Amino acid sequence: MKTKSALLSLLCLASLLLTAACGDSDPIKPAETKAPADGTAAVTDAAPDMYASIRAALDEGVDFGGAPFNIISYVSDTWNIYLEPEGEDGETLNDAAFRRNTEVEELLGIDITAIYHENYVNQFRTAVLAGDSASYDLICFWSPGDYSGLITDQIVYDWTQLPHVNLNADWYNKTANTAYSINGKQYFAVSDFTYPVHQHFRILYNKELFRSLQYDNTPYDDVFDGTWTFGRMMEYTKGLYTDLDGDGKAGLGDRYGIVLNNAFCSMFPLSGGELPVSCGEDGFSFNLFSERIVSMVEDIVAFGTYPDAYLNRATNNDQYKIFESGNALFEPYASDPLLLRDLEFDFGYLPYPKYDESQSDYVIIAAGGLMAVPNSITDPERTGIIMEALAIASHNYVADAFVEQYIENKILRDEESQKIYRMMRSLETYDLSYNIDPSGMLANYSYYSYFMQKKDANVASRYQKIISAVEKKYNAMYELIISQ
């Protein structure tokens, strides 16, 4: 355990070496960085006041004495959330996260421990209900999932009440703050601590196949011109179906213009700006029925009949196999970016299209990175200090390592894709109903995937059937929150 003066010295030194300027910044134009001589991840210019609140708390006698900070999360064979790397191994994200943890552990005198469990949410819930304040300090969620029960059962703590946490800082996602704020309270947050699993829905395209079509422009041109729309995308797919395996029926062995499943179809209306639920000063508002939504649903349900589209109605991602074999022009994608390194052909990176040109900008639906603090904490100041320090350190170590050294250098293959990726990160939008749905009818793509599963575009009928129950459940949650 370090003495208080040692901690303060380390903290002051760290604030000079590791911090980036506070305030709003353009995500497309990252802060100027300085590359260390040893070739490790670049660190940003210093801002002496970044750790000011934490320094003040330490100066007033806060001392964590080597106590553990326990984080529970999901088990995954592919998605590495980089919560507690064992050491440096030369892998960019692993090493960046290890340095972040080492920095914060030394600064605050804590021991960060990650706990992975198949039933991690139930483990977390059980501990909180038992009044256990020691087992878990933070939970990091898999996405998608409905976590509204953690609010209604008073399992999670209001982030706005955590001392030292600045939700308006660059290291917190502002659209997540907006999406998850209910009557001035916020039970879920997204910070740079979980940066590697902040993902967004995107569309990949086979550049080699596209070049063979001999168009005068490319989807990149459409994106930059603001003309990348659903209709434009579908124009490119026309006439591409080919019975490659000669069996006389559409299957995994053939060529298509686009390959997708029900879940990815469901993202077109959301990317068209039609988010199902929002919360304002007067409670929840619902956006489930309009002429525009009817038109969108008709378009996505029609994927089931398009000869140039392969619609996988199973719950897996077998349609990926078609794209991976080079036999699809477009593929909506939301899996681990690391898997894209294995593609043997040249591919491009695109946002989901606007629904039409009347849409002012691309809407990039984001997922992943969601965190919550247990309501059983007994020392909110301690939790706030640690969460803020982890977010700040992640902002400096992990964010640049992920975007510049991992995504841009290891995954994406051209400058246009890199520009589009940065644009998409700047436009990411979190949707409340994706993770918070007490009605059980909207989360996990449920509203729009219903029409895909039923092969029925009758939005009016579905809306009339569920709207009363949806409003009742959400309004009940709202009343419970304002009463707390």
Side-chain angles (χ1 to χ4, degrees), residues 20 22 50 166 169-173 190-192 388 391-392 395:
C22 296
M50 182 171 284
N166 179 10
D170 287 347
W171 39 94
Y172 290 94
N173 186 285
V190 177
S191 87
D192 286 353
E388 189 73 354
I392 292 170
H395 184 71

Side-chain angles (χ1 to χ4, degrees), residues 400-453:
D400 281 348
F402 184 75
V403 174
E404 297 176 5
Q405 300 184 40
Y406 186 76
I407 291 294
E408 294 186 347
N409 287 346
K410 295 187 177 183
I411 308 299
L412 302 181
R413 303 181 182 183
D414 56 56
E415 185 177 350
E416 292 90 346
S417 285
Q418 293 173 2
K419 288 180 179 178
I420 288 173
Y421 179 84
R422 286 181 175 270
M423 177 198 75
M424 291 173 66
R425 290 294 301 217
S426 73
L427 295 174
E428 281 183 342
T429 298
Y430 278 80
D431 167 43
L432 172 70
S433 68
Y434 190 74
N435 294 116
I436 310 299
D437 175 30
S439 75
M441 300 177 192
L442 305 179
N444 303 354
Y445 337 99
S446 296
Y447 185 64
Y448 289 112
S449 63
Y450 170 87
F451 303 109
M452 303 302 302
Q453 293 160 0

